[in-house]
Structure formats: C-alpha cells, structure tokens
Amino acid sequence: MADDADWAADLDRYGMRRPFLKEQSIWAVWLYRRGRRLDRRPPGLGRKLGLAVYWGLFRVIETVTGVSLPKSASIGPGLRVWHFGNIFVHPDTVIGARCTLRQGVTIGNRHAGGPTPVIGDDVEFGAYAQVIGGVRIGNNARIGAMSVVLCDVPDGATAVGAPARIIAAREAA
C-alpha cells in the first residue's frame, strides 16, 4: 500500500528508535496515515467502525498535541513535525514529500470556501509561519519563522516577513 510506504518514510524522517515514546507529533502523523487507509477501504461495517474510532482519536490527539492533520489533506511521504503544538493544516491542502513543519504553523485558506495552498517537495516551515490562500510554494523552498505568505514562492526560494517577501533563491543541485 502506498500509505504504508508513506508511513515508513515518515518514520525514517524522525530518525530515532521508538518515536512514539519521544515525539508526540508522530501520533498525529500516524493517525493521518491511518485515516487515509480507512478512506480507501470498501464501504461496510469495518470501515464505519474504523472511521468512528478515527474521529474519536482525531479529536483526542488534536487536543493533546495541538496538531491538526485532517485525513482529507493530501500529504506526501516523509512528513516531519518538529516541536509539536498549534499546527493546523486545512483539509483541502496539498503538501509534497519530505516537508517539515515546526510549532505554530498554519496552512489554510484566507476566507471560508476559498482556495488553499499547494506545497511542493522538501519545503521547510519555520516556527509560527502561516501560508494562506491559493498560493503555490515551490520545491525546496524555505518559509521563515513568523512569516505570513500570501503569494507564490518559487522553487528553492526563501520567504520571510509579514507579509512575506522573497529574499533568496538557492541554486538547484
């Protein structure tokens, strides 16, 4: 299953033995991957019961860790959440592979029913960064701490400030 490979990539990014005992953020990542697998199950009692348990655990883990990763968001393999707490991802968000979220990150829309961000691969978010609206964040981009991103960020660029501005673009390797 793809999500099993995604989960293996998530665990690999944590780079430690028994991350469930050391990093509360992995609880939210695990539940996100579990919810995605449940959505692919055929309709029936097993799926219905699994989803009931999922929603109960989602609320508990969201409350305890402060990390909200709804199963309807599309998140690539290798997600790493550092310093859990106050991390919210809109259900319609698309996040690429090997991305890093730090505490206080918000990824969502600017107004109800509005478009949501599309995040490329290998993107790093600094603490309390916000990316809102229908923006695209390119591959290998960096979003600085406490930045508010309201416009597209090209591949390899760094965005900082409120509102964010592009300060640097790195050479592709």
Side-chain angles (χ1 to χ4, degrees):
M1 245 194 248
D3 269 341
D4 291 334
D6 292 353
W7 172 239
D10 297 335
L11 284 174
D12 189 50
R13 288 286 313 280
Y14 278 77
M16 65 180 72
R17 291 186 51 204
R18 297 190 297 262
F20 272 87
L21 300 175
K22 299 173 184 173
E23 292 278 342
Q24 295 92 330
S25 63
I26 195 110
W27 305 345
V29 175
W30 170 81
L31 187 62
Y32 166 78
R33 298 290 179 205
R34 179 77 180 128
R36 298 288 285 185
R37 285 192 300 274
L38 283 169
D39 278 351
R40 286 195 306 276
R41 291 184 72 174
L45 183 61
R47 180 178 182 203
K48 189 174 184 176
L49 291 173
L51 287 172
V53 170
Y54 165 84
W55 284 112
L57 283 174
F58 180 82
R59 291 298 175 209
V60 168
I61 288 175
E62 181 183 52
T63 301
V64 169
T65 66
V67 178
S68 181
L69 298 175
K71 64 184 178 64
S72 61
S74 177
I75 302 174
L79 178 65
R80 177 60 159 110
V81 178
W82 288 93
H83 314 296
F84 73 95
N86 297 323
I87 296 170
F88 294 93
V89 174
H90 189 280
D92 296 333
T93 298
V94 175
I95 299 176
R98 298 169 306 281
C99 288
T100 301
L101 308 177
R102 289 184 177 77
Q103 74 271 17
V105 169
T106 298
I107 303 171
N109 55 8
R110 291 178 80 170
H111 52 82
T116 56
V118 174
I119 312 296
D121 296 338
D122 301 298
V123 175
E124 291 209 22
F125 292 85
Y128 298 98
Q130 299 177 35
V131 178
I132 53 179
V135 301
R136 182 191 180 284
I137 308 298
N139 296 328
N140 299 300
R142 303 292 177 257
I143 309 302
M146 299 181 72
S147 295
V148 179
V149 178
L150 304 173
C151 60
D152 292 352
V153 176
D155 290 351
T158 299
V160 298
R165 66 190 192 297
I166 308 305
I167 61 162
R170 294 179 288 156
E171 295 293 320

